[in-house]
Amino acid sequence: MIIYTNEGNPLGLQLLVLAKFAKKTAQVQLVNLNDAKHKDLLVLPTLELDNGLRLFSGAAIAKYLLGDEGQRRDEWLEWSTTLLAPALEHHMAVGHRADPNALPVLNGLVKKLNDCLSTSPFLAGDKLSAADLSIWCLLAPDGTLKGAQNVDQLRNWYDKIKAMPEVQQGLKELPIKDLTFNALQQSNRYGGLQHVQLKRSSSVDAGKLLAE
Amino acid sequence: MCDVATVQKIANCLGVSPGKIQLNEEQVVTRTGAQNKTVAGFATILESMARESKSETAQNSIVTQEVQAQVYQWIEFAVLYVAPGSKDKYVSKQLLADFNKLFISKSYLVGHFITLADLAVYYAIGDLIKSLSPVDKENYLNLSRWFDHLQQRPEIHQGETMLNFTTIYLHNWATGTHI
């Protein structure tokens, strides 16, 4: 299999780690969407299967590679793509595009993760699933959890996943220090995830968790 | 179009009972069906409905693992890029051009048959297509053909006013008088 991704894209690491857990060999190719050679790629990362089929959704690829792991896993996968990734991109984006609404939203999402991990060792229950791996890769970039408070369960879970051999192997090829959320903006021709509207939770304020 | 309304429309297309569709405290669409079982998330709900439905579209959407994965990725694409990007002039142009190119060589998004991928993108791109002038529709001829083909199905248009694509056909025999 081939993973086409752009430099520093945390979702590229996600595909690589998923492939390692599925015991499949995947070769990473760093590409640029502006390169005429890659004009047929719509969204990065894209996984090319050995039969030539190309898939560009991390959630779809997780389900395809790792099979059925239950509804909660599927819900977390969708949550990570449609809520967590856009909030991270809005918050971490540099310069004038940073969204002041993003931090409160992100705090709510991080609190949800921490609350869930206070009641079960992994996001979808007692067993590690693709949801843990996918969400871990989004929290991996340096600075996301740096300085965060009241997220002890999340940190324990983070360290546990990071220590897994498949994750370590993935990090050898795509190191944490290279990952950025600005890379998500270069990952498609639709403005990254900048147009996805952040959804403000109606429940009470999550308070301060992540560093400002 | 809002997620709740779209889920309801797609439930109608598939001939399944929508159950109770609402937004949860995170503003994520949920569906509560038989035995009070709740499913959260637009794509996850569509997958759950596909498993319940006997319709052609649902059966087509789950025929193999490869098809399921492709159907899911287009549903996600509709949620992340088509619906939000349609409000931006630059992104809409890119979306229209990309879909138009995809439909050069195929009639449906996945395989050679109608799936949930077509429905999700159809409802997400509807407002954008509605805003196109006859000349625009002609510029995106392949996309227009796909959209017009889908809207002919009564279970898809569900009584809504059909969009007019007829100038496209007119253009074929009256090129000189067009525009």
Side-chain angles (χ1 to χ4, degrees), chain A residues 42-55:
Chain A
L42 298 179
V43 176
L44 295 175
T46 287
L47 177 73
E48 187 174 287
L49 302 177
D50 293 338
N51 64 14
L53 181 68
R54 285 177 172 183
L55 298 169

Side-chain angles (χ1 to χ4, degrees), chain B residues 5-149:
Chain B
T6 312
V7 170
Q8 245 138 10
K9 285 205 168 190
I10 293 179
N12 292 344
C13 292
L14 300 182
V16 299
S17 155
K20 192 165 184 213
I21 312 287
Q22 54 192 350
L23 297 180
N24 69 10
E25 76 286 352
E26 284 185 303
Q27 310 300 309
V28 169
V29 63
T30 64
R31 172 184 187 229
T32 309
Q35 289 121 34
N36 262 338
K37 205 171 163 316
T38 297
V39 182
F42 185 79
T44 311
I45 291 175
L46 260 49
E47 283 199 324
S48 78
M49 295 197 302
R51 287 192 293 269
E52 289 166 32
S53 167
K54 302 262 178 294
S55 72
E56 176 204 0
T57 308
Q59 299 295 314
N60 287 343
S61 306
I62 53 175
V63 67
T64 63
Q65 296 282 318
E66 282 81 4
V67 164
Q68 267 184 54
Q70 292 176 81
V71 166
Y72 188 98
Q73 81 177 6
W74 284 114
I75 298 174
E76 187 185 288
F77 190 89
V79 171
L80 289 182
Y81 308 117
V82 181
S86 292
K87 296 177 190 95
D88 179 279
K89 216 172 90 191
Y90 173 79
V91 177
S92 341
K93 271 194 151 167
Q94 185 72 46
L95 286 164
L96 290 166
D98 285 346
F99 277 114
N100 194 54
K101 204 171 137 201
L102 278 171
F103 288 124
I104 289 175
S105 56
K106 51 208 227 165
S107 304
Y108 299 102
L109 280 171
V110 178
H112 301 288
F113 33 72
I114 182 167
T115 65
L116 277 168
D118 297 296
L119 296 186
V121 173
Y122 174 90
Y123 290 117
I125 210 168
D127 286 341
L128 179 56
I129 303 272
K130 207 185 277 175
S131 73
L132 296 182
S133 68
V135 179
D136 285 334
K137 285 180 194 160
E138 202 177 284
N139 285 335
Y140 303 114
L141 192 71
N142 308 304
L143 174 61
S144 295
R145 171 175 44 74
W146 167 84
F147 192 92
D148 192 30
H149 173 65

Side-chain angles (χ1 to χ4, degrees), chain A residues 19-176:
Chain A
K20 299 228 181 268
F21 270 91
K23 309 224 180 308
K24 300 262 203 273
T25 319
Q27 175 216 340
V28 177
Q29 266 188 36
L30 292 182
V31 301
N32 185 330
L33 281 184
N34 295 324
D35 197 335
K37 220 169 39 188
H38 302 298
K39 62 184 191 308
D40 290 334
L41 292 168
L42 298 179
V43 176
L44 295 175
T46 287
L47 177 73
E48 187 174 287
L49 302 177
D50 293 338
N51 64 14
L53 181 68
R54 285 177 172 183
L55 298 169
F56 55 70
S57 147
I61 290 164
K63 291 166 177 218
Y64 180 79
L65 291 179
L66 296 166
D68 188 10
E69 297 177 300
Q71 184 190 317
R72 278 179 70 194
R73 190 270 321 247
D74 293 351
E75 289 174 336
W76 276 119
L77 285 175
E78 185 169 358
W79 183 92
S80 115
T81 320
T82 56
L83 272 68
L84 185 61
L88 283 165
E89 188 192 309
H90 284 237
H91 177 57
M92 302 292 178
V94 286
H96 66 285
R97 293 177 76 178
D99 179 350
N101 192 32
L103 185 62
V105 170
L106 205 49
N107 276 327
L109 300 175
V110 168
K111 182 172 177 354
K112 179 172 164 151
L113 287 170
N114 195 62
D115 287 351
C116 173
L117 293 165
S118 312
T119 56
S120 67
F122 295 102
L123 290 170
D126 295 333
K127 274 180 25 199
L128 176 86
S129 74
D132 298 290
L133 304 172
S134 298
I135 290 174
W136 186 88
C137 292
L138 280 175
L139 296 178
D142 234 9
T144 309
L145 290 180
K146 206 166 159 187
Q149 40 184 330
N150 302 324
V151 291
D152 296 347
Q153 278 80 13
L154 183 60
R155 277 195 203 285
N156 291 342
W157 167 89
Y158 181 92
D159 293 340
K160 193 160 58 180
I161 311 266
K162 189 180 179 182
M164 292 181 173
E166 292 89 345
V167 175
Q168 284 298 316
Q169 285 165 26
L171 287 175
K172 258 183 218 149
E173 278 176 71
L174 298 171
I176 285 186

